[in-house]
Amino acid sequence: MSTAVTAHSLFTDYDINLFRAGKNFRIYDKLGSHVIEVDGKRGTYFAVWAPSARSVSVIGDFNRWDRKSHPLFSRWDSSGIYEGFIEGLENGTVYKYAIEAQNGDQLEKGDPYARVWETPPKTASVVWDTFYEWEDQEWMQNRYQHNGIDRPYSVYEVHLGSWKKNKKNESLSYRELATDLVEYVSRMNYTHVEFLPVMEHPYFPSWGYQITGYFAPSSRFGGPQDFMYLIDKLHAAGIGVILDWVPSHFPNDAHGLAQFDGTHLYDHADPRKGFHPDWKSAIFNYGRNEVRSFLISNALFWLDRYHIDGLRVDAVASMLYLDYSRKQGEWIPNQYGGNENLEAIDFIREFNEAVYREYPDTMTIAEESTAFSGVSRPTYVGGLGFGQKWMMGWMHDTLKYFKHDPVHRSFHHGELTFSLVYAFSENFMLPLSHDEVVHGKGPIIDRMPGDEWQRFANMRLLYGYMMTHPGSKLNFMGGEFGQTTEWSIERGIDWELTQYKPHSSLQEYVADLNQLYRSSTALYEYAYDPKGFEWIDIGDHQNSVLSYLRRGKDENDMVAIIHNLTPAVRTKYRVGVPFEGQYVPIINSDDEKYGGTGNYAQQVMTSVPTEWNGRPNHIELTLPPLTTLVFRYQAPEAKGTKKGKATAAKKDAK
């Protein structure tokens, strides 16, 4: 039986001053619920920020949800924090804060800093800790080798609740995913996984983007230590973990952040700044210091306690602009009369600075769809400070191009080449994301024209173009084997399709493409630098053939890529190359094992010293139908020597 609340505080004056200044980025160590000992007695310390409340008490099963039983003490320093220690309460205690607003309203709120929430539709918080004996020390010590901008990023985007269902159509647990998902991602040769938001959310069909428990992994799949176990196993397999993070808005559920102390505590009171018209949710007040402490602390919390390797920030465009999705008269200009949200911009920069200061071997990624300048440029040159930015224009233009019947593609060549006009203006990630397979858009394979063979050949082309285009990569689950129905979180993805040859062959191709990408420094060392890309022929629109070079830091590290974007076989097709030597085929999407014709096996090509495409040498080859070809350059001096043969054999084996 718990005792009355006793006065106790974990806060120093310094903590409070930092919190009120918006600079306390470890506030989760103090706010929330914490099992501690006070004067030799074990119990739980509670602290909550509710500056406009008349009173705050802790309620739960332990006191039969009696609002008067365990009132917290209001701090003397006008910080708005209520706190206190209750002896006897341990991990597993279910609780809420009973808050009396200034107008007399009686509110029951979950803890914004709770480590665990009850499994929805229940809405209470749970006292819990984040203690875990990690076994990923080697990964953490060498993480910089996986997360730098000159390292390969091939990301598998996953919704944990629908990646795979069991025989009862139930989501797998974190522990089950630690076996099945880790094995699959390893087999498919992805470098990272990205999880749609795992933070607790009341409405499953929101995919996790309407968060109430910012500091708690969803209890639908297990507890915090179970999620840590999944991350540990991914790290053991050499796979980085990226989380979707949503600092842009939050839902209006009665038990959440909305009207937390009876006022617009976390959001703006004026709906022109505080209400999101698209999602009917509340927008964070980035100008309020304590809210900034909450959000940046939350970002660092996942990097700190869960060893997360990166954060992909959702809906950045909606944060940057005051008139986002608003009509004239529905928004308030900034102090200079512009539409930029200056408070949000300042917050984003501070968030990125904090992340890279504390965890320089992690990555932040912006989902940002506008032409806002400098999203992935350092803050000291005026940028927002993200490490990477989603290349939404590439995704839309490329999918639009592939929808065209090949007979018409010659008229739309620019849709495929335009991305290289601005490819190096940001550190771009090329996404084929979950947003492209929902809301009536259907699966990606449905946008491929032709009969079944041509549709799968086009899918191979799409992935071949994606994996050899400058930038990092992201592919949503199911796309890698040609999912044929729109994504459904209730049903999951259609794994049974992989028993059929076209789907399993595409799956094998994507795995091999990932391995090619990971093992080819020419495809990633200069991913964001024009040094790493050179057109061979941008203008062969009549044949719908695209060819270019990718380069690594070594002067001889080069691959040549040719895409034949029609079903027509091109014989004696010349491709200009800069260096004399041999060009070794390392992938051919028309290979029979990938579902291709298998009729046009590629041979090692020796360059001919005749000018073509403005280059002093060329190779001449047959282009199979709807095919991506990749050749690795082998310098002449590597031929005939023991070292040269060993190097070439090692590269080809990769």
Side-chain angles (χ1 to χ4, degrees), residues 503-629:
H503 296 277
S504 62
S505 296
L506 177 62
Q507 188 180 38
E508 181 179 2
Y509 172 67
V510 171
D512 285 355
L513 267 181
N514 277 331
Q515 183 57 33
L516 171 68
Y517 169 64
R518 294 178 65 159
S519 62
S520 301
T521 49
L523 292 177
Y524 63 77
E525 283 187 337
Y526 283 133
Y528 316 114
D529 191 319
K531 293 177 183 177
F533 179 87
E534 181 182 330
W535 284 113
I536 296 175
D537 191 352
I538 188 177
D540 191 6
H541 62 89
Q542 291 181 324
N543 289 313
S544 293
V545 174
L546 205 60
S547 54
Y548 47 87
L549 302 172
R550 294 295 311 280
R551 299 176 182 271
K553 295 179 180 179
D554 186 286
E555 62 179 359
N556 288 326
D557 186 12
M558 183 180 73
V559 294
I561 300 104
I562 305 102
H563 306 287
N564 180 10
L565 296 146
T566 73
V569 178
R570 311 290 179 189
T571 59
K572 297 184 178 180
Y573 191 88
R574 288 187 174 187
V575 177
V577 291
F579 304 137
E580 84 170 283
Q582 291 188 326
Y583 290 80
V584 181
I586 51 178
I587 204 155
N588 173 5
S589 70
D590 190 54
D591 195 306
E592 188 175 10
K593 69 178 179 178
Y594 302 140
T597 69
N599 295 331
Y600 307 94
Q602 302 300 304
Q603 305 298 321
V604 175
M605 309 296 296
T606 300
S607 65
V608 177
T610 303
E611 183 178 346
W612 199 259
N613 297 132
R615 288 164 181 79
N617 306 280
H618 75 268
I619 55 177
E620 187 173 282
L621 60 157
T622 295
L623 302 184
L626 294 170
T627 297
T628 291
L629 299 173

Side-chain angles (χ1 to χ4, degrees), residues 210 248-249 252 270-283 318 321-327 330-331:
Q210 297 273 359
S248 49
H249 65 115
N252 289 300
D270 190 325
R272 291 174 295 177
K273 293 183 72 175
F275 177 73
H276 203 298
D278 287 347
W279 304 310
K280 314 303 179 190
S281 53
I283 298 173
S318 73
Y321 295 102
L322 296 163
D323 61 346
Y324 185 88
S325 286
R326 298 179 190 274
K327 300 175 184 177
E330 295 179 348
W331 60 281

Side-chain angles (χ1 to χ4, degrees), residues 60-93:
D61 292 336
F62 67 92
N63 64 8
R64 299 182 181 180
W65 302 90
D66 181 1
R67 302 176 66 92
K68 298 180 180 180
S69 179
H70 289 81
L72 297 177
F73 296 92
S74 176
R75 286 185 59 88
W76 56 269
D77 52 18
S78 71
S79 62
I81 293 172
Y82 288 79
E83 61 185 349
F85 174 77
I86 305 177
E87 182 187 344
L89 299 189
E90 297 273 0
N91 281 342
T93 299

